[in-house]
Amino acid sequence: MLLALLKGQSHGYALKEEIATRSAGRVTLGPGTLYRTIRDLLRDGFIEEVTERPAPEDDDERRRYYRITDLGRGVVAAEAQRLEVLVEVVRGERLIP
């Protein structure tokens, strides 16, 4: 979800669709999982609700929009670095301690 928000702000259903697209359909989130994850990411400060709204013709007033925070970007960067190290280990470029 954090990766999907790196592109910019989005609402819940659009996030669900972006995640399905990025994973080639391997990850599909049901409503409970989607909104529980959003709630947890908000609580942890990784995302925040956006108060600015899109143009009325592009908006549905029931939607809530979210964006990634600086803390969330740091989490993404740290996870990317961790995965890079893991890939190096798997490729045999490093010794496993």
Side-chain angles (χ1 to χ4, degrees):
M1 194 165 294
L2 294 177
L3 288 175
L5 285 169
L6 286 174
K7 288 176 52 175
Q9 72 181 32
S10 188
H11 57 84
Y13 184 77
L15 286 170
K16 174 188 181 314
E17 294 299 306
E18 178 69 17
I19 291 165
T21 298
R22 283 178 177 241
S23 69
R26 290 185 300 270
V27 177
T28 56
L29 300 175
T33 301
L34 173 68
Y35 291 103
R36 186 172 41 254
T37 301
I38 288 172
R39 181 197 65 211
D40 292 348
L41 292 171
L42 284 165
R43 180 199 62 221
D44 294 340
F46 300 153
I47 66 172
E48 61 190 3
E49 193 168 339
V50 178
T51 55
E52 306 87 35
R53 307 292 300 188
E57 63 273 7
D58 297 328
D59 191 20
D60 178 334
E61 63 187 35
R62 297 170 294 177
R63 291 180 179 155
R64 292 185 177 179
Y65 290 82
Y66 307 96
R67 69 176 157 225
I68 193 167
T69 62
D70 289 340
L71 178 60
R73 288 180 188 281
V75 168
V76 170
E79 181 65 4
Q81 185 176 20
R82 186 189 71 79
L83 291 172
E84 285 176 357
V85 170
L86 181 60
V87 168
E88 289 176 15
V89 169
V90 170
R91 287 185 176 154
E93 296 176 10
R94 290 180 165 233
L95 296 176
I96 298 175

